[in-house]
Amino acid sequence: MTPSQSLPLDGLCAIVTGAGRGLGRVEALELARLGASVVVNDYGQPGRDGSGEASMAPAQGVVDEIRTAGGRAIAHLGDVSDQDQARSLVELAVTTYGKLDILVNNAGILRDRMIFSMTEDEWDSVIRVHLKGHFNTMHFAAAHWRARSKESGGPVHGRIVNSASEAFLAGSAGQPNYAAAKGGIVGLTTSTALALAKYGVTANVICPRARTRMTEDVFAGFRKPEDGRLDPLAPEHVAPLVGYLASPAAAGVNGQLLVVHGGMVAVVERPRVAAKFDSAKETFSFDELDEVLSPYYADRPPNETFAATEILGLKRG
């Protein structure tokens, strides 16, 4: 292999948010394995260890793993839903490694509840961490890439990989806050993909299915294999796609949504118009809408909605 083939991210700098555990951790490890210098972000406040020095675990633990394997990494403790802390995250990447090339947004929380039981705080906190958190880091990364592109007079290598969820696609009944936040991330991603394409930046969104600390209750009924095979819900199934989307090889992939888990990647098509009705006069009346729409929906399965529940059945093979 040539160096570029063996280390496709060599010389590039990546940020991975929520990277202390779970999906973010394996994504950070994969980016480092492919040659990137990684800023490992995780939420928290510095604590004190036995020596009295500030402790940055678990982010520092991931950094140590990367460095032990011969890679380059630095930890950042901060809440990406706070704009000042998101700014400091991007600034840390630029000051430490000279530039930022890759942003992987993974930080998130769950506050599951049915819509009729959900509190305002349960709604606000999930929207804030997921949707605002994605916006904050993207905002500062986008400004950095735009400035670099203008300075160089040409495109730069900029990659955004955002994390949505099948809960948005399939309409998870017990997660209205989470599904709404993830749907918002998809809209944010496609908007950004169009806005930044002229600077050489791509923005894509993945819907990963993985067993992590955040989702342990969600997947409690799915048993791990007992024959030594890799768990189909292992985060390790997701990381290679993130590495690919972060690379120069994925320059032609922009504004896309991909579902990934268990040795499978599915490209999700954008919505299509299923039917179109024109009014007989300048505008519709109630009666005319009743005449065209009621029979149309009467012929459709009663539980068929805009939600794509069949996506939940995707699997390898």
Side-chain angles (χ1 to χ4, degrees):
M1 284 188 177
T2 65
S4 62
Q5 289 175 316
S6 58
L7 293 175
L9 304 185
D10 188 33
L12 302 180
C13 169
I15 287 173
V16 183
T17 72
R21 301 180 179 88
L23 275 170
R25 171 183 166 273
V26 297
E27 290 166 355
L29 293 174
E30 176 70 1
L31 295 178
R33 188 187 70 80
L34 295 175
S37 301
V38 184
V39 181
V40 179
N41 161 266
D42 201 42
Y43 173 77
Q45 299 298 325
R48 296 288 170 179
D49 60 20
S51 65
E53 297 297 322
S55 171
M56 300 187 75
Q60 188 61 47
V62 178
V63 168
D64 293 343
E65 285 187 79
I66 292 172
R67 291 178 177 173
T68 298
R72 299 172 300 278
I74 189 171
H76 175 274
L77 272 191
D79 178 2
V80 293
S81 69
D82 180 286
Q83 194 157 87
D84 288 338
Q85 294 181 53
R87 178 190 290 109
S88 77
L89 172 59
V90 173
E91 289 176 349
L92 177 64
V94 175
T95 57
T96 304
Y97 298 112
K99 59 187 174 71
L100 173 65
D101 304 286
I102 301 157
L103 171 63
V104 180
N105 280 308
N106 183 72
I109 61 172
L110 288 180
R111 298 291 185 270
D112 293 353
R113 196 86 64 181
M114 298 296 285
I115 186 68
F116 43 77
S117 301
M118 183 164 288
T119 67
E120 182 179 16
D121 181 68
E122 288 166 341
W123 172 269
D124 288 347
S125 60
V126 169
I127 297 297
R128 176 177 54 82
V129 174
H130 287 275
L131 185 53
K132 187 182 178 186
H134 273 62
F135 163 75
N136 283 343
T137 55
M138 291 168 66
H139 168 73
F140 294 111
H144 169 70
W145 288 322
R146 180 173 179 263
R148 277 177 53 197
S149 178
K150 287 193 169 186
E151 183 178 350
S152 67
V156 299
H157 181 99
R159 298 287 185 269
I160 299 171
V161 183
N162 287 334
S163 299
S165 169
E166 292 168 296
F168 145 71
L169 291 167
S172 180
Q175 298 180 302
N177 49 0
Y178 185 69
K182 292 306 190 181
I185 287 169
V186 173
L188 174 62
T189 305
T190 54
S191 171
T192 302
L194 293 174
L196 299 187
K198 63 182 178 181
Y199 304 118
V201 179
T202 67
N204 294 288
V205 59
I206 63 172
C207 293
R209 187 188 301 181
R211 195 191 309 271
T212 66
R213 187 179 64 162
M214 191 176 81
T215 62
E216 58 186 353
D217 292 336
V218 176
F219 296 123
F222 295 83
R223 298 180 61 182
K224 297 180 182 179
E226 298 178 356
D227 57 2
R229 290 180 298 123
L230 183 64
D231 182 359
L233 292 172
E236 285 78 6
H237 289 294
V238 177
L241 177 61
V242 173
Y244 166 74
L245 291 174
S247 74
V253 184
N254 192 29
Q256 302 299 309
L257 189 152
L258 302 99
V259 175
V260 55
H261 59 79
M264 181 216 73
V265 173
V267 178
V268 179
E269 184 65 277
R270 67 184 185 272
R272 301 281 186 178
V273 176
K276 175 179 174 290
F277 304 98
D278 295 323
S279 61
K281 297 182 179 179
E282 186 176 2
T283 189
F284 275 106
S285 66
F286 175 91
D287 289 339
E288 189 180 7
L289 287 171
D290 183 31
E291 288 175 4
V292 296
L293 290 178
S294 295
Y296 175 76
Y297 283 105
D299 292 335
R300 290 166 66 95
N303 294 323
E304 184 177 299
T305 71
F306 188 78
T309 54
E310 66 276 10
I311 286 176
L312 298 178
L314 291 173
K315 61 181 180 179
R316 183 173 179 267

